[in-house]
């Protein structure tokens, strides 16, 4: 008999043994007195398996004789420890021995379903039976050696511990800042904590099941619909964000619907947790708007509202690449506002700002949607005209100048609204870089400014 293989089958199939034991426990209704948590079942199987493996390592089947002292047996010792634990929980001898038979059945099923030869299965099955016989003997020895008074004292002590544990967890439940609602498998509210009572029902008395005297359908009508949706989804957990009216005003919650972790299926209800994210959401909105402002100022000139230098150069680079690729016409106009220094020095910088804003507003109103204007210096602007030849831009500039002259005729300002400009036309055979374009347009602008200045001097003469 390959004892090492026998041992590995026991140790490597902990989950299968746990599932089989749990299945038998549900079928025979033992789970109404057992733990609801999967890990507790796993620990029970681990304890049984480890004790069994110790016996397997000794090879011989653990037989019993009339003169054996089972208080010194490792297997029986395990049974004695289990007896002490289960008795303190109020489990009777009959309940324990009965359920142990189904634990034993799970181990025998595992052997029966293995690839052992028939004779090997028979040997392993007998081994398991003798092992569980000794566990049960140890349990019976411990149980029979306890007086009724001692048993009563033990139970009283356990009841006190359990009451304190219950009170501790009830206090924790009531003290949790977030609202919590517990519902049964039919979606009826079983309990709510202090915060839920305060927020949803305006009840401020702790330590009671508030829902008994409250119209849940009226107060939490929205929750019924969400619960039904959760049930229909057949998921273990669902998160949703919802803004609702509460006794403390409108609040936004991140709501978690979670099925109770109960492998015994005694408690098939749902835990509903409400995480108040109202303030966080407000803060996010204050942040998403600050970010919008930062983004706006990162690409926009704050005074005029047109694109800033960085954005203008990026757009120019993009348009140049498109023109190089397609060969479509592209014209660039470089503008410099005339007399800004004089206005600033004579009338103040606020008046200088008014001059800049007036000119940019009229320019923007004249441009097409696909045209862009960018402020790239204090009094310098770059205008990009996709798909336009120089002659087309000259016509636009003429219209802008006409509007500025009309404005000056009606204005009481002591200065004129005017600018000098230089236009560069880019065609398929005229491929320039961004810097080349800016420099060329700048030279033409200064030539235009010098020409206007000379004309003004001749006029004055």
């Amino acid at each position: 008999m390959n004892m090492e293989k026998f041992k590995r089958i026991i140790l490597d199939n902990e989950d299968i043994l746990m599932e089989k034991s749990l299945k038998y426990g549900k079928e025979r209704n033992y789970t109404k007195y057992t733990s609801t948590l999967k890990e507790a079942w796993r620990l029970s199987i681990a304890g049984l398996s480890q004790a069994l493996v110790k016996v397997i390592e000794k090879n011989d089947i653990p037989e019993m004789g009339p003169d054996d002292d089972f208080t010194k047996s490792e297997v029986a010792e395990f049974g004695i420890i289990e007896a002490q634990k289960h008795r303190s929980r109020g489990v009777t001898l009959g309940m324990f021995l009965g359920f142990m038979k189904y634990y034993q059945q799970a181990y025998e099923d595992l052997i029966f379903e293995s690839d052992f030869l028939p004779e090997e299965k028979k040997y392993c099955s007998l081994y398991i039976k003798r092992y569980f016989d000794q566990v049960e003997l140890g349990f019976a020895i411990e149980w029979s050696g306890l007086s009724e008074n001692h048993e009563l004292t033990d139970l009283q002590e356990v009841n006190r511990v359990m009451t304190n544990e219950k009170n501790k967890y009830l206090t924790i439940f009531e003290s949790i800042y977030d609202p919590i609602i517990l519902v049964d498998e039919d979606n009826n509210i079983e309990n709510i904590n202090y915060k839920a009572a305060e927020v949803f029902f305006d009840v401020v008395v702790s330590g009671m099941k508030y829902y008994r005297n409250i119209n849940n359908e009226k107060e939490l009508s929205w929750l019924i619909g969400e619960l039904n949706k959760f049930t229909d989804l057949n998921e273990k957990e669902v998160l949703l964000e919802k803004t609702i009216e509460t006794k403390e005003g409108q609040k936004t919650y991140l709501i978690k619907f979670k099925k109770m972790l109960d492998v015994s299926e005694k408690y098939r209800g749902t835990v509903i947790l409400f995480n108040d994210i109202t303030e966080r959401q407000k803060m996010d909105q204050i942040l998403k708007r600050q970010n919008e402002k930062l983004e706006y100022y990162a690409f926009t000139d704050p005074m005029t509202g047109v694109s800033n230098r960085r954005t203008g150069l990026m757009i120019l680079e993009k348009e140049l690449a498109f023109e190089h690729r397609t060969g479509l016409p592209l014209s660039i106009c470089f503008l410099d506002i005339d007399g800004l220094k004089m206005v600033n020095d004579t009338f103040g910088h606020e008046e200088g700002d008014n001059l800049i804003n007036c000119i940019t507003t009229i320019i923007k109103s004249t441009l097409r949607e696909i045209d862009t204007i960018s402020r790239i210096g204090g009094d310098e602007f770059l205008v990009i005209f996709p798909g336009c030849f120089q002659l087309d831009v000259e016509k636009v500039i003429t219209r802008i100048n006409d509007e500025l002259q009309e404005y000056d005729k009606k204005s009481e300002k002591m200065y004129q609204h005017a600018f000098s400009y230089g236009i560069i036309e880019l065609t398929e055979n005229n491929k320039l870089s961004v810097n080349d374009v800016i420099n060329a347009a700048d030279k033409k602008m200064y030539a235009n400014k010098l020409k206007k200045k000379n004309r003004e001097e001749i006029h004055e003469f």
Side-chain angles (χ1 to χ4, degrees):
M1 175 64 202
N2 188 341
M3 300 302 285
E4 185 61 30
K5 181 179 178 181
F6 183 18
K7 184 172 74 172
R8 292 290 1 135
I9 284 179
I10 298 298
L11 293 176
D12 293 345
N13 290 280
E14 187 178 88
D15 286 338
I16 293 176
L17 289 167
M18 182 182 66
E19 293 297 333
K20 286 180 177 294
S21 301
L22 181 58
K23 173 177 172 290
Y24 286 132
K26 289 178 182 177
E27 288 175 354
R28 306 312 305 164
N29 209 26
Y30 282 100
T31 50
K32 68 180 181 179
Y33 300 111
T34 62
S35 174
T36 61
L37 301 178
K38 196 172 185 178
E39 190 58 30
W41 286 79
R42 189 186 304 280
L43 289 172
S44 294
I45 290 297
L48 284 167
S49 295
Q50 289 167 10
L52 175 56
V53 165
K54 285 183 179 179
V55 178
I56 292 173
E57 289 173 345
K58 295 180 179 178
N59 291 326
D60 296 333
I61 293 177
E63 295 289 0
M64 297 162 287
D67 299 319
D68 290 344
D69 183 357
F70 292 107
T71 60
K72 297 180 180 179
S73 164
E74 286 186 0
V75 180
E77 183 182 4
F78 174 77
I80 291 170
I81 294 170
E82 289 299 301
Q84 294 168 348
K85 289 195 296 187
H86 286 77
R87 185 180 63 236
S88 67
R89 295 170 188 160
V91 176
T92 66
L93 179 61
M95 287 166 59
F96 178 81
L97 293 178
F99 196 26
M100 285 301 289
K101 293 298 181 186
Y102 291 106
Y103 270 113
Q104 177 180 331
Q105 186 65 55
Y107 281 84
E108 291 194 50
D109 289 347
L110 184 66
I111 297 302
F112 179 77
E113 294 164 4
S114 71
D115 61 353
F116 276 133
L117 296 173
E119 285 300 315
E120 291 176 321
K121 289 181 180 180
K122 184 178 179 182
Y123 178 85
C124 292
S125 179
L126 178 59
Y127 208 109
I128 289 169
K129 285 178 181 177
R130 290 292 180 265
Y131 165 74
F132 275 93
D133 285 343
Q134 290 206 22
V135 171
E136 291 167 9
L137 275 170
F139 197 92
I141 290 169
E142 170 64 21
W143 202 279
S144 62
L146 190 69
S147 67
E148 289 186 6
N149 287 337
H150 192 176
E151 183 177 358
L152 179 60
T153 302
D154 281 355
L155 286 174
Q156 288 173 337
E157 176 60 26
V158 170
N159 281 333
R160 285 193 292 270
V161 172
M162 289 177 63
T163 299
N164 284 334
E165 284 293 299
K166 176 184 175 182
N167 288 336
K168 181 176 78 172
Y169 286 107
L170 180 61
T171 302
I172 293 171
F173 178 68
E174 295 290 353
S175 301
I176 294 174
Y177 177 77
D178 292 325
I180 302 176
I181 297 179
L182 309 180
V183 300
D184 61 21
E185 58 185 312
D186 298 318
N187 289 342
N188 298 313
I189 295 178
E190 283 197 330
N191 207 349
I192 59 179
N193 71 342
Y194 178 90
K195 191 63 177 179
E198 182 182 49
V199 171
F200 299 130
F201 304 110
D202 200 20
V203 177
V204 291
V205 180
S206 181
M208 61 178 289
K209 292 190 174 182
Y210 318 99
Y211 65 88
R212 292 189 184 279
N213 301 315
I214 293 173
N215 186 344
N216 297 321
E217 291 187 4
K218 178 183 176 182
E219 301 288 351
L220 293 174
S221 56
W222 62 269
L223 183 61
I224 296 172
E226 297 296 346
L227 266 171
N228 290 333
K229 289 179 188 177
F230 174 62
T231 302
D232 293 340
L233 287 173
N234 199 28
E235 298 283 348
K236 291 184 178 180
E237 183 177 316
V238 167
L239 276 174
L240 66 91
E241 185 177 308
K242 194 173 185 68
T243 301
I244 55 179
E245 290 294 335
T246 73
K247 302 300 181 181
E248 298 179 349
Q250 191 177 80
K251 288 184 175 289
T252 301
Y253 289 101
L254 185 63
I255 307 173
K256 178 185 284 188
F257 294 85
K258 187 174 181 64
K259 289 293 183 185
M260 293 185 184
L261 296 176
D262 180 9
V263 293
S264 69
E265 298 183 359
K266 291 193 292 290
Y267 311 111
R268 303 185 188 184
T270 302
V271 180
I272 310 169
L273 304 172
F274 297 80
N275 182 11
D276 188 351
I277 60 171
T278 308
E279 293 304 316
R280 188 180 76 189
Q281 195 175 62
K282 289 179 182 177
M283 186 57 66
D284 288 344
Q285 291 171 352
I286 292 172
L287 286 174
K288 282 176 200 153
R289 288 194 293 269
Q290 291 178 339
N291 286 335
E292 287 174 358
K293 286 181 181 178
L294 288 173
E295 186 174 353
Y296 174 81
Y297 289 126
F299 298 100
T300 308
D301 174 55
M303 190 182 84
T304 62
V306 302
S307 299
N308 60 16
R309 177 183 178 86
R310 173 190 175 197
T311 308
L313 296 181
M314 287 172 56
I315 295 173
L316 178 58
E317 186 174 24
K318 179 181 176 183
E319 292 293 344
L320 285 174
F322 184 75
E323 185 274 328
H324 292 168
R325 191 168 63 251
T326 63
L328 293 175
L330 173 68
S331 291
I332 308 300
C333 183
F334 197 81
L335 306 177
D336 184 274
I337 295 175
D338 295 337
L340 178 62
K341 184 177 184 305
M342 182 274 294
V343 173
N344 282 334
D345 293 344
T346 306
F347 303 102
H349 285 272
E350 184 176 350
E351 197 61 35
D353 292 345
N354 291 335
L355 170 62
I356 294 172
N357 281 320
C358 178
I359 292 176
T360 55
T361 299
I362 290 176
I363 292 174
K364 285 191 292 184
S365 67
T366 311
L367 299 179
R368 303 170 300 170
E369 286 189 10
I370 62 170
D371 302 330
T372 58
I373 177 172
S374 307
R375 187 182 184 188
I376 61 173
D379 56 359
E380 297 174 336
F381 291 83
L382 176 70
V383 188
I384 302 174
F385 295 89
C388 286
F389 295 101
Q390 180 169 341
L391 184 60
D392 300 318
V393 178
E394 291 282 4
K395 292 177 181 178
V396 174
I397 297 299
T398 299
R399 288 201 303 271
I400 294 171
N401 279 325
D402 289 343
E403 288 196 36
L404 288 173
Q405 288 173 10
E406 285 297 318
Y407 179 83
D408 283 338
K409 288 178 183 179
K410 300 174 184 178
S411 172
E412 297 180 353
K413 302 289 185 182
M414 301 295 291
Y415 54 86
Q416 287 188 329
H417 294 72
F419 58 83
S420 301
Y421 67 92
I423 301 172
I424 293 294
E425 180 185 306
L426 296 157
T427 61
E428 188 175 3
N429 298 321
N430 186 14
K431 297 185 178 356
L432 299 175
S433 68
V434 170
N435 287 334
D436 292 338
V437 170
I438 295 294
N439 291 332
D442 187 48
K443 286 180 181 179
K444 283 196 171 185
M445 181 274 294
Y446 273 109
N448 178 252
K449 187 179 284 289
L450 183 61
K451 183 178 178 182
K452 288 171 65 176
K453 184 177 181 181
N454 291 335
R455 190 164 54 239
E456 289 172 358
E457 288 176 351
I458 292 171
H459 179 72
E460 288 176 1
F461 178 77

